[in-house]
């Protein structure tokens, strides 16, 4: 039966009279009790929108999946612990100073799609025969490490179907990302421990030849998203290269602060000097030779590929892509990431989420041209993208108020360049 303490002033006075200095149940270790309302517990999630859409928060729905733990300040053993959905409307606690901890998920060494959030309240006091109706909102933050893997198109087209990337933090157990997990955007979550070195190892075959490439990143931090992209470096066009080492797998990482949804940086996981000694070093350009430049992808004003572009959809959106390599483009891919342009929506207008503009399948050629994309550009040295008002009109109709991404990845003999066009159409 629930106990709810409601006392008149007269009853409180009588209680004070009854308690003498010798009363063994007064003071901080008293057996007296107070209460706290369930409604006093509120949680603010400090996460970006990518995680937020998969996590139920107080602003979205309810807190039923959270675990709420009441612990006396300075102690570690919980006094009471509830799943929020099973927590009584009024919780009775021994008097004292408390910390309330809220958790969501489980803090495991490595698990798919398992973000673990943790937050602690400020100290609050449960007074005898009083009801606590307010505790400052608890700020929950991501406590583990988020990792996703991507394979660039050139690598995907030449690696074996059983290729995978093993990701581990320290000596703990890890997860294997296959092409299936990568293309689904599946995230692995890893416990943040004293050992903070993340290791990602590519295992597979490239054009039938075994390839193993290990990359490591030191001092990984909880609350960060590490997006690791594995790419293919092909030196077969280098006449001075070793024919047995024409193919090299490399990787880069983009680090995003989950809490602020801000990119921290984009840097290689390992310098070339850290490669295994048996892999021959590729000769660079001589002092008088121009440096080989990977394809250049630039936005046509006012489009800026380094920021989110706010548009109204009334004028086309342009980009220019130029290759200076002999033989021109070898791969040219566009990936559409949009919460509103779903595969079904795209299929309805003759498109797909992943578009091959180098050797365009016949069924996509006409729709792509209508929407302003070049087709069959393999071997060309220049291509212009002008996303038409027809496609932007679709975004205005179904996707106003959301961010939409067009990820352009272009490869030639000099290397690979990836740029993301980010568009936002106000509601």
């Amino acid at each position: 039966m629930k106990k709810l303490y409601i006392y008149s002033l007269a009853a409180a006075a009588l209680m004070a009279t009854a308690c003498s200095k010798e009363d063994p149940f007064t003071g901080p270790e008293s057996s007296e009790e107070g209460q706290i309302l369930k409604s006093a517990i509120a949680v603010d999630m400090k996460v970006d929108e990518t995680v937020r859409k998969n996590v139920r928060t107080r602003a979205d729905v309810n807190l039923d999946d959270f675990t709420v733990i009441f612990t006396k300040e300075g102690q570690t053993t919980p006094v009471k612990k509830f799943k929020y959905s099973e927590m009584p409307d009024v919780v009775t606690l021994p008097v004292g100073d408390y910390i309330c901890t809220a958790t969501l998920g489980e803090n495991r060494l490595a698990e798919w799609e398992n973000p673990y959030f943790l937050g602690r309240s400020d100290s609050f006091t449960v007074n005898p025969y009083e009801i606590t109706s307010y505790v400052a909102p608890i700020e929950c933050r991501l406590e583990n490490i988020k990792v996703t893997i991507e394979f660039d198109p050139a690598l995907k087209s030449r690696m074996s179907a059983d290729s995978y990337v093993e990701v581990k933090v320290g000596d703990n157990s890890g997860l294997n990302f296959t092409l299936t997990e990568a293309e689904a955007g599946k995230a692995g979550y890893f416990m943040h421990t004293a050992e903070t070195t993340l290791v990602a190892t590519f295992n597979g075959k490239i054009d039938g030849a075994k390839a193993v490439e290990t990359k490591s990143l030191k001092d990984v931090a909880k609350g960060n998203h590490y997006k690791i992209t594995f790419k293919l470096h092909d030196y077969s066009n280098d006449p001075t290269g070793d024919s047995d080492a024409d193919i090299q797998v490399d990787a880069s990482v983009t680090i995003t602060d989950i809490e602020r949804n801000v990119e921290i940086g984009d840097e290689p996981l390992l310098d070339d000097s850290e490669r295994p000694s048996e892999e021959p070093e590729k000769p660079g350009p001589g002092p008088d030779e121009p440096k080989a430049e990977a394809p250049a992808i630039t936005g046509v004003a006012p489009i800026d590929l380094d920021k989110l572009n706010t548009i109204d959809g009334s004028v086309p959106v342009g980009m220019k892509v130029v290759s200076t390599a002999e033989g021109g483009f070898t791969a040219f891919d566009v990936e559409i990431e949009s919460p509103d342009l779903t595969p079904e929506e795209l299929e309805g207008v003759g498109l797909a989420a992943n578009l091959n503009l180098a050797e365009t399948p016949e069924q996509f050629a006409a729709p792509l041209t209508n929407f302003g994309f070049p087709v069959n550009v393999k071997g060309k040295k220049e291509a212009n993208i002008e996303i038409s008002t027809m496609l932007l009109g679709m975004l205005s109709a179904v996707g106003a108020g959301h961010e939409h991404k067009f990820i352009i990845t272009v490869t030639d003999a000099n290397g690979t360049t990836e740029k993301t066009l980010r568009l936002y159409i106000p509601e």
Side-chain angles (χ1 to χ4, degrees):
M1 178 181 296
K2 295 181 181 177
K3 297 182 290 182
L4 184 59
Y5 296 121
I6 304 178
Y7 288 85
S8 66
L9 290 175
L14 180 61
M15 185 188 309
T17 303
C19 294
S20 67
K21 291 182 180 180
E22 289 75 31
D23 189 342
F25 298 107
T26 60
E29 297 303 322
S30 169
S31 61
E32 294 173 324
E33 296 175 327
Q35 295 180 320
I36 182 170
L37 298 180
K38 178 179 181 179
S39 59
I41 307 302
V43 173
D44 287 337
M45 302 294 291
K46 295 295 183 181
V47 296
D48 72 349
E49 292 304 315
T50 301
V51 176
R52 185 180 294 276
K53 69 183 181 181
N54 293 318
V55 175
R56 301 194 298 174
T57 71
R58 191 177 187 87
D60 299 328
V61 281
N62 55 54
L63 300 172
D64 284 354
D65 290 339
F66 279 84
T67 297
V68 178
I69 305 167
F70 295 97
T71 307
K72 281 199 171 183
E73 191 170 14
Q75 299 182 11
T76 56
T77 303
V79 176
K80 288 192 177 179
K81 177 179 178 180
F82 304 93
K83 188 173 181 181
Y84 191 87
S85 61
E86 301 168 358
M87 182 176 170
D89 293 334
V90 180
V91 177
T92 300
L93 296 169
V95 299
D97 294 329
Y98 282 84
I99 300 293
C100 181
T101 303
T103 66
L104 180 65
E106 297 183 41
N107 194 19
R108 295 180 176 173
L109 291 175
E111 189 166 299
W112 297 111
E113 302 296 349
N114 183 37
Y116 172 66
F117 293 93
L118 171 69
R120 294 182 176 88
S121 72
D122 295 334
S123 176
F124 62 93
T125 301
V126 173
N127 293 312
Y129 310 107
E130 291 184 5
I131 299 173
T132 300
S133 60
Y134 176 79
V135 175
I138 302 169
E139 292 189 345
C140 277
R141 293 174 164 84
L142 183 68
E143 286 290 300
N144 46 11
I145 300 161
K146 178 181 179 181
V147 178
T148 55
I149 298 293
E150 290 193 356
F151 302 99
D152 86 330
L155 177 58
K156 283 194 292 187
S157 66
R158 298 171 69 176
M159 73 185 195
S160 59
D162 60 353
S163 297
Y164 66 94
V165 173
E166 180 189 37
V167 177
K168 300 174 67 175
V169 175
D171 294 327
N172 298 321
S173 57
L175 298 173
N176 291 340
F177 290 76
T178 65
L179 185 58
T180 299
E181 281 79 30
E183 291 191 329
K186 200 170 182 180
Y189 288 86
F190 299 82
M191 183 185 294
H192 185 266
T193 64
E195 174 54 73
T196 58
T197 298
L198 185 150
V199 178
T201 304
F202 177 89
N203 294 273
K205 293 180 180 179
I206 308 298
D207 294 341
K210 184 177 180 180
V212 178
E213 185 70 13
T214 298
K215 304 292 181 181
S216 67
L217 187 64
K218 298 179 180 178
D219 300 322
V220 292
K222 61 185 177 182
N224 281 351
H225 174 192
Y226 296 86
K227 178 182 175 182
I228 304 171
T229 304
F230 279 83
K231 300 181 179 181
L232 184 67
H233 285 219
D234 190 342
Y235 294 91
S236 59
N237 291 325
D238 183 353
T240 62
D242 184 342
S243 61
D244 293 330
D246 286 340
I247 306 299
Q248 173 181 300
V249 178
D250 200 359
S252 62
V253 61
T254 300
I255 309 169
T256 302
D257 185 328
I258 294 291
E259 190 169 311
R260 294 180 297 146
N261 200 18
V262 174
E263 284 192 4
I264 297 173
D266 190 350
E267 58 188 54
L269 289 171
L270 280 185
D271 295 329
D272 286 343
S273 60
E274 296 179 86
R275 294 186 174 281
S277 58
E278 65 269 16
E279 181 175 300
E281 183 177 347
K282 297 299 179 181
D288 299 324
E289 297 178 42
K291 182 181 178 181
E293 297 287 351
I297 307 174
T298 55
V300 177
I303 294 301
D304 186 340
L305 296 181
D306 294 321
K307 69 177 186 180
L308 179 64
N309 297 270
T310 300
I311 62 171
D312 61 13
S314 62
V315 295
V317 170
M319 287 167 287
K320 185 174 183 178
V321 187
V322 176
S323 168
T324 59
E326 184 177 351
F329 305 125
T330 57
F332 198 125
D333 297 275
V334 175
E335 180 182 356
I336 301 174
E337 284 188 3
S338 167
D340 303 292
L341 292 181
T342 62
E344 293 75 19
E345 290 281 351
L346 291 169
E347 184 180 354
V349 296
L351 295 181
N354 294 282
L355 304 170
N356 180 356
L357 306 186
E359 297 177 282
T360 310
E362 184 177 352
Q363 70 269 29
F364 294 121
L368 283 171
T369 301
N370 292 335
F371 286 124
F373 293 94
V375 297
N376 296 316
V377 299
K378 184 175 183 179
K380 296 182 179 179
K381 292 193 172 184
E382 184 172 323
N384 294 318
I385 298 175
E386 189 175 80
I387 300 177
S388 70
T389 55
M390 186 185 306
L391 182 55
L392 298 179
M394 285 180 56
L395 285 179
S396 299
V398 301
H402 297 152
E403 180 181 344
H404 310 279
K405 296 180 180 179
F406 294 80
I407 304 167
I408 300 96
T409 306
V410 183
T411 301
D412 64 12
N414 293 339
T416 298
T417 300
E418 180 181 298
K419 290 284 187 178
T420 299
L421 169 66
R422 301 169 59 209
L423 300 178
Y424 176 81
I425 301 176
E427 292 182 294

